[in-house]
Amino acid sequence: MSSSSTSVSIIIAVKNNGIDLYTTMESLKVSQTTLPYEVIIVDEGSIDGCCDFLMNYRFDQPFQRIKGEPGTSARNLGAAHAKGDYLIFSGSHLYYDDGWMERLLEPLMQGQADAVSPAFEKSERSTAPASKEVGGMIGLLRRYPIQRADQNLDIPWLSWECFAVGRSTFREMEGLVDGFFGKDVETAEFSLRLWLQGRTCQIVPDVTLMQVFRQNFPYDNSREMWGVDLLTLANLHFGDELTSVCREQVNQAFGEELLEAEQLSPLALARKEKFASLRKHDAAWMFERFGVHWKS
């Protein structure tokens, strides 16, 4: 792996992340790597001052802070400013070890996968209370990693906490779909689209990032908007039967009012026809491949 000709852009979207962003940047600062990289921080309207320290922050690599735009994926905005050959989309509560970047990107550089995610370990120092578990299809989309022994390192969807992709691949896929509230479903949609268009997603078990969860205020409730996100994903990629399953879960959780409101993102649905024209497989194929039992 040549470090002289390869560059990386690390994109971190934040919103009211308290001290998390600072500790993540400090961990990134001291982790050793041979790859030149930049950090792009997309502030999605934080009001807790979590990005204020960046004004006078000392960091050995280039970094910039940009302002998020409502309705537009923060990670798409970051990617639009990126100069690296590879993009790493990262959460703001991670700790890195030496050489993690090289090991994570190795399958991409060797042409073994089109997008990758690492393994994770939750720190005992985490103080945030566990979030409420949701079952059904949304629970499947949030489960990571899902692996089958006969699929080697292949996984159906990447982790929204951290995933890497070549910038050229990201552009060919036309980036992430704008309009999702939660990054979990946003990432699941991108992963699903990669598979449906004949590409691959893999886990890199040799890289384990530490997660430290803290209770931050104001509370970010974007993941609680999963009803709209799930309906958008279903309308983009699922057939009638699976879409009906998703609608029933949304109806049970939020009532018919959400279904009748048609609050589906026009930005997302405008891309539906093009996605269908590029599809080499359907969603049922991918679920069967990974043994994902969405009917139960």
Side-chain angles (χ1 to χ4, degrees):
M1 182 186 303
S2 173
S3 61
S4 61
S5 60
T6 301
S7 58
V8 181
S9 296
I10 300 175
I11 299 166
I12 306 175
V14 299
K15 183 178 181 180
N16 300 325
N17 287 108
I19 199 175
D20 289 340
L21 177 61
Y22 175 77
T23 57
T24 292
M25 292 291 287
E26 285 291 287
S27 176
L28 197 56
K29 181 193 293 186
V30 300
S31 64
Q32 299 296 311
T33 179
T34 60
L35 298 173
Y37 68 92
E38 64 176 348
V39 180
I40 301 172
I41 298 161
V42 186
D43 184 358
E44 299 183 88
S46 300
I47 60 174
D48 70 341
C50 66
C51 296
D52 291 352
F53 76 95
L54 295 171
M55 295 180 63
N56 300 301
Y57 189 57
R58 285 188 166 186
F59 198 73
D60 295 336
Q61 304 290 338
F63 73 92
Q64 60 178 307
R65 171 188 176 184
I66 62 177
K67 185 179 180 180
E69 300 176 6
T72 301
S73 167
R75 297 188 290 191
N76 276 347
L77 289 174
H81 287 76
K83 300 176 182 177
D85 301 303
Y86 294 91
L87 310 178
I88 299 178
F89 298 96
S90 177
S92 61
H93 45 257
L94 298 177
Y95 286 70
Y96 311 93
D97 59 4
D98 293 343
W100 73 276
M101 206 180 302
E102 290 89 340
R103 300 195 308 274
L104 181 65
L105 296 177
E106 184 72 21
L108 303 182
M109 294 180 173
Q110 297 298 325
Q112 299 168 355
D114 294 289
V116 294
S117 279
F120 298 95
E121 180 180 350
K122 184 177 179 180
S123 171
E124 295 179 353
R125 293 178 292 168
S126 295
T127 58
S131 58
K132 182 180 179 182
E133 293 294 329
V134 180
M137 178 55 66
I138 195 67
L140 288 172
L141 296 176
R142 289 176 174 175
R143 187 183 305 167
Y144 179 86
I146 293 179
Q147 286 182 272
R148 283 181 57 165
D150 59 348
Q151 295 296 331
N152 299 316
L153 300 176
D154 290 352
I155 51 176
W157 33 81
L158 305 158
S159 167
W160 70 271
E161 298 271 12
C162 181
F163 72 90
V165 62
R167 185 172 63 161
S168 59
T169 299
F170 191 76
R171 288 180 171 177
E172 289 168 6
M173 297 299 297
E174 298 187 3
L176 298 159
V177 169
D178 293 323
F180 284 108
F181 289 98
K183 291 178 178 53
D184 47 3
V185 183
E186 179 185 73
T187 304
E189 187 284 325
F190 182 69
S191 309
L192 178 61
R193 183 155 36 99
L194 283 165
W195 280 110
L196 299 189
Q197 293 186 21
R199 299 176 186 259
T200 58
C201 302
Q202 288 189 351
I203 186 173
V204 183
D206 293 340
V207 180
T208 300
L209 301 185
M210 182 70 70
Q211 300 169 305
V212 179
F213 296 102
R214 301 179 179 89
Q215 184 67 66
N216 294 318
F217 300 96
Y219 174 67
D220 180 9
N221 67 345
S222 58
R223 274 165 57 93
E224 296 177 5
M225 301 293 291
W226 60 262
V228 175
D229 284 352
L230 183 58
L231 292 178
T232 298
L233 175 66
N235 276 275
L236 282 172
H237 297 297
F238 293 167
D240 292 342
E241 184 180 7
L242 187 48
T243 297
S244 178
V245 171
C246 294
R247 288 177 63 85
E248 179 59 28
Q249 182 178 7
V250 171
N251 183 38
Q252 291 179 1
F254 299 98
E256 294 184 2
E257 184 176 332
L258 181 60
L259 296 177
E260 295 172 354
E262 294 295 334
Q263 297 180 23
L264 304 184
S265 166
L267 294 173
L269 297 182
R271 303 175 68 176
K272 178 177 181 178
E273 185 174 341
K274 183 171 185 179
F275 290 166
S277 69
L278 297 172
R279 193 174 295 155
K280 296 181 179 179
H281 308 284
D282 61 17
W285 167 87
M286 198 202 75
F287 283 116
E288 182 178 355
R289 171 175 180 157
F290 289 99
V292 176
H293 304 292
W294 49 268
K295 292 184 179 181
S296 56

